[in-house]
Each structure stands twice: as C-alpha cells, then as structure tokens.
C-alpha cells in the first residue's frame, strides 16, 4: 500500500522565560504551546527550558544550552523546534544552523494555524498578508542553502538575485492584499449602516473560552464549535431573541492569545471592527482556567491596542459548571473595577439566561422604547426613524404619524431638537 498521508512533524518545544517568571506560569505557557502544536498537526516529543536574564543576541538561548538542544534533537529524532517566543531573523538563522533542524517560533506557528483554518476569501487574504509581512525579513534564512558566487562588482550570486526578486514580488503582493482588504472594510461599513436600527453586541475573549458555544446556545442555530485553539476565525453574526419581541445582533469574533503576532492583529482589523462598532462587548472568560486573569489582561491589551478599550463591556465568566460552589462564590464576590460580570454555563439548563437578560437590559438602556408623533408632511423625519431605529408600530391619523420605535439616545436628541414629540424618554 502507498501511504498518501503527509508525515507528521515531531517537535521539541523550547521555552526561554525570564528568571522572574514563576515555574507554574512557564509550564502553563508551554502547555498552551503544545495545544497550538496539536492544532497545527504536530506531535510533541519533549520540552526544553532555559531561564534567562535577557535573550542571547545571536541565538536567543545561551550557546551552551543551544548545544544541549542540538544533542537532544539528534537523540530524539525531532524534525522541528518550536520556540515559545518570537525570534529575530538573525536569531532564527543562527539557531537553525547550529542545531541542524528547522526552527519555528510561536508567531509562525499561529500564522500556520490561521492559514489552515481560514475559510472565507477575506480570512485567507488577512492571513496571507500577515504571513508575507512576517516572511519578508526572513527570506535570507530561507535562501541560506543556495550557493553564492563571490566576485567583483556585478558578480552577485543566484541566491542574492532571487532574494531581491522575491522581495519585489512580496512587496507587490502585500500592496494588493492591503487594497483588497480596504475594499472589504468599506463593504463591511456599508453592511453595518444597513443594520443601524438594531442593537449590536460582540463576543470577544481568549481563544477557546467558549464564545462560539455561547453564540450557538443563545441563537439556537448551528455554529461550528470545537475544543481546540482557534477553532473559528471568521466572524459569525446571529439574531438573538431577548424577550418581548426584541432582538439583538450578536457577533462571534476571532479569539485572542498571548504573544499574538502583531502583523496578524493588524491584518484582522477589518474583521475586528465588528467589535469596535458594537454597542456592548461581552468579554468571555474561561472561569475554570487557572490563568484566567492573565488571559483577561491579554484580551484587554489587544482591544486597547485596536482602539476598542473604551467600549461598554461586560465580563462573562463561562464554564461555571466546572467550578465548585465555593470557587464560583469567590468569583461572584470579587470586584472587577466597576465592570459588570455574569456567570454562565452552556451545558447546564438555564445558566445562559443572565446573558439574555443583560442583552435585553442593554437594549432598553441604549435604545429605549418610545412613542413619537410627527407631522405627515415631514416624510424625511419618518424615513430617518426607519433608517436609524427599529420601528415596532406605526399608525397614520390624518395629518399625524404615530410611531412606536427603539432609537438610540443620540437619534432621539436630534429628533427632539427638530420638533418631534417624544413620549417615554427624558
């Protein structure tokens, strides 16, 4: 029989944390790196750790440790080394040459996972852009195997010529992808304008915190869910019924992770603008994870870097079913700096109702249910209400139009300033 399946890479995971980092945190980081490797289809053989005062400028880890790593690779038959931190092009090239096997850092591994998980043309373009931006300064390392002709002026070797050609091609492709994604961003902005009348909420959080499971349970529709890091990349929006005929648009966004490559965050900005435009962010946290506080900080840092740190936010502690009563009670009694907090589960009956009730309350607060009286001659104002609000009822009485609608406080202020009679607000 002919074996058609591609052979799986066999990797050694390498961590080089600062000496100040606690041992259990280092262990958890490497465990997460192992889960990333599993998602990428890599078999993990072993781990290798060196605590550093500061990274070595040539190799990242110390020269003696690099020699130990070379021997471990030979003894265990590893085909790949995965570093938990991002290497500079020089460090990657030097370490690969010394150890004698391929080196991949955490950023490159995440990019590879995103490349295999991207489904839509937009997601594929975003990942390709991030990969090319990561790859460009590392081309020399890729071409290190080519011989170079040494000589006088004009006697450059084929490898160097190919490097320049590749850089030009990459620069051209990067420019095209940026143009394509700008067009996508404009299309998304147009689509969002068409949904102006509805309240929007977005699920954000660390990867594998349970965002997709919450969306599926609240909407009652099929949403892809898998117990793996970065199971979903493309944003998914569903209509959620929150009571009394009211509806909210809820979007599931790509998950974040510590040491997320900045190229990737930048290229996914168009997708994450769904979060920036949301009326409220539901920050989903895996309450059962021992490092949930660090994960929470990672998400807040990324959101802040994207300019979304000032959005109204609610903390949603998920997977409460995995905690003991005392652990859950301790979470409930903590203070979160004035940020509201919910405690939910997608596997226990009724444990998601607090999230639905919160969305309904936010809808009432952000877009109150009001009644308006407008002259039938003011057709432009009636059209504005339909465009910017959610019209619930309409009755035409001679020269007056009576409308019941949900509108934002900003829209209501503008309408009142133009003489519209508003009942049930202010």
């Amino acid at each position: 029989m002919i074996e058609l399946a591609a052979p799986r890479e066999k990797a050694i995971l390498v961590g080089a944390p600062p000496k100040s980092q606690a041992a259990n945190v280092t262990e958890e980081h490497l465990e997460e790196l192992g889960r990333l490797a599993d998602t990428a289809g890599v078999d993990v053989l072993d781990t290798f750790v060196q605590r550093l005062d500061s990274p070595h400028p040539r190799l990242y880890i110390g020269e003696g440790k690099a020699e130990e790593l070379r021997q471990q690779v030979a003894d265990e038959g590893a085909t790949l080394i995965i570093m938990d931190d991002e290497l500079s092009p020089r460090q990657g090239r030097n370490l690969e040459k010394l150890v004698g096997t391929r080196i991949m850092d955490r950023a490159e591994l995440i990019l590879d996972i995103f490349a295999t998980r991207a489904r839509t043309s937009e997601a594929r373009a975003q990942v390709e852009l991030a990969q090319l931006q990561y790859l460009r300064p590392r081309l020399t390392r890729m071409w290190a195997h080519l011989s170079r002709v040494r000589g006088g002026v004009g006697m450059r070797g084929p490898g160097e010529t190919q490097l320049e050609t590749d850089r030009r091609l990459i620069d051209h492709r990067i420019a095209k992808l940026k143009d394509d994604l700008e067009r996508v961003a404009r299309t998304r902005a147009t689509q969002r304008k068409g949904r102006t009348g509805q309240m929007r909420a977005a699920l954000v959080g660390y990867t594998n915190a349970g965002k997709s499971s919450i969306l599926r349970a609240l909407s009652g529709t099929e949403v892809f869910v898998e117990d793996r890091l970065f199971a979903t990349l493309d944003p998914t929006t569903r209509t959620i019924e929150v009571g009394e005929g009211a509806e909210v648009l809820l979007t599931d966004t790509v998950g974040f992770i510590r040491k997320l490559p900045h190229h990737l965050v930048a290229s996914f900005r168009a997708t994450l603008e769904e979060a920036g435009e949301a009326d409220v962010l539901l920050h989903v946290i895996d309450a059962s994870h021992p490092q949930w506080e660090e994960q929470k900080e990672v998400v807040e840092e990324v959101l802040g870097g994207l300019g979304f740190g000032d959005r109204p936010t609610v903390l949603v502690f998920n997977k409460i079913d995995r905690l003991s009563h005392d652990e859950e009670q301790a979470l409930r009694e903590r203070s979160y700096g004035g940020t509201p907090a919910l405690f939910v589960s997608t596997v226990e009956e009724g444990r998601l109702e607090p999230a639905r009730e919160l969305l309904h309350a936010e809808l009432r607060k952000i877009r109150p249910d009001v009644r308006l009286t407008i002259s039938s001659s003011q057709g432009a104002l009636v059209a504005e209400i339909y465009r910017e609000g959610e019209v619930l009822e309409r009755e035409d009485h001679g020269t007056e139009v009576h409308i019941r609608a949900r509108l934002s406080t900003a829209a209501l202020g503008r309408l009142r300033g133009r003489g519209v009679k508003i009942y049930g607000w202010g």
Side-chain angles (χ1 to χ4, degrees), residues 168-395:
R168 282 195 298 272
L169 289 171
I170 284 177
D171 288 343
H172 178 74
R173 182 63 179 163
I174 285 174
K176 184 180 185 306
L177 286 169
K178 285 183 175 179
D179 287 342
D180 291 345
L181 289 172
E182 282 178 11
R183 281 196 295 273
V184 170
R186 289 195 293 270
T187 301
R188 279 190 181 279
T190 302
Q191 291 171 344
R192 284 196 294 271
K193 285 181 183 177
R195 302 197 298 258
T196 303
Q198 291 182 279
M199 176 185 160
R200 286 169 288 163
L203 295 162
V204 297
Y206 209 79
T207 182
N208 209 39
K211 300 184 301 299
S212 298
S213 297
I214 288 175
L215 180 63
R216 181 172 67 177
L218 284 174
S219 66
T221 59
E222 194 56 40
V223 176
F224 180 72
V225 175
E226 186 180 12
D227 186 19
R228 271 191 167 172
L229 303 185
F230 299 119
T232 52
L233 298 184
D234 300 301
T236 304
T237 301
R238 295 287 186 269
T239 300
I240 310 297
E241 293 184 6
V242 295
E244 300 179 10
E247 294 180 339
V248 171
L249 290 176
L250 183 60
T251 300
D252 177 21
T253 62
V254 62
F256 302 138
I257 197 168
R258 65 173 69 91
K259 304 174 187 175
L260 193 64
H262 67 277
H263 292 318
L264 193 59
V265 175
S267 65
F268 267 76
R269 186 179 184 89
T271 299
L272 291 168
E273 280 176 0
E274 292 286 340
E277 294 287 335
D279 294 296
V280 62
L281 300 181
L282 303 186
H283 180 174
V284 181
I285 299 168
D286 180 355
S288 67
H289 198 284
Q291 300 295 327
W292 69 261
E293 290 177 90
E294 182 192 357
Q295 293 182 351
K296 173 177 173 288
E297 290 175 4
V298 167
V299 174
E300 290 170 346
E301 286 175 8
V302 175
L303 290 174
L306 290 167
F308 304 155
D310 61 345
R311 305 304 302 164
T313 303
V314 176
L315 302 179
V316 180
F317 286 90
N318 190 28
K319 306 183 185 181
I320 290 296
D321 53 283
R322 299 184 182 181
L323 302 183
S324 68
H325 174 75
D326 290 343
E327 288 171 332
E328 179 180 345
Q329 196 60 32
L331 274 183
R332 288 179 179 274
E333 291 173 357
R334 286 185 60 162
S335 170
Y336 300 101
T339 304
L342 300 179
F343 305 88
V344 304
S345 168
T346 59
V347 300
E348 292 183 347
E349 189 72 27
R351 292 299 295 269
L352 263 181
E353 284 311 301
R356 199 182 301 274
E357 291 166 5
L358 173 122
L359 289 172
H360 196 190
E362 288 294 322
L363 176 62
R364 286 182 170 278
K365 183 167 59 178
I366 296 169
R367 288 181 168 80
D369 185 341
V370 297
R371 294 184 180 275
L372 308 99
T373 300
I374 309 165
S375 170
S376 56
S377 64
Q378 294 178 297
L381 286 182
V382 173
E384 184 175 330
I385 291 168
Y386 273 91
R387 185 172 61 252
E388 296 199 20
E390 179 187 356
V391 175
L392 306 174
E393 295 175 12
R394 172 175 172 164
E395 294 180 2

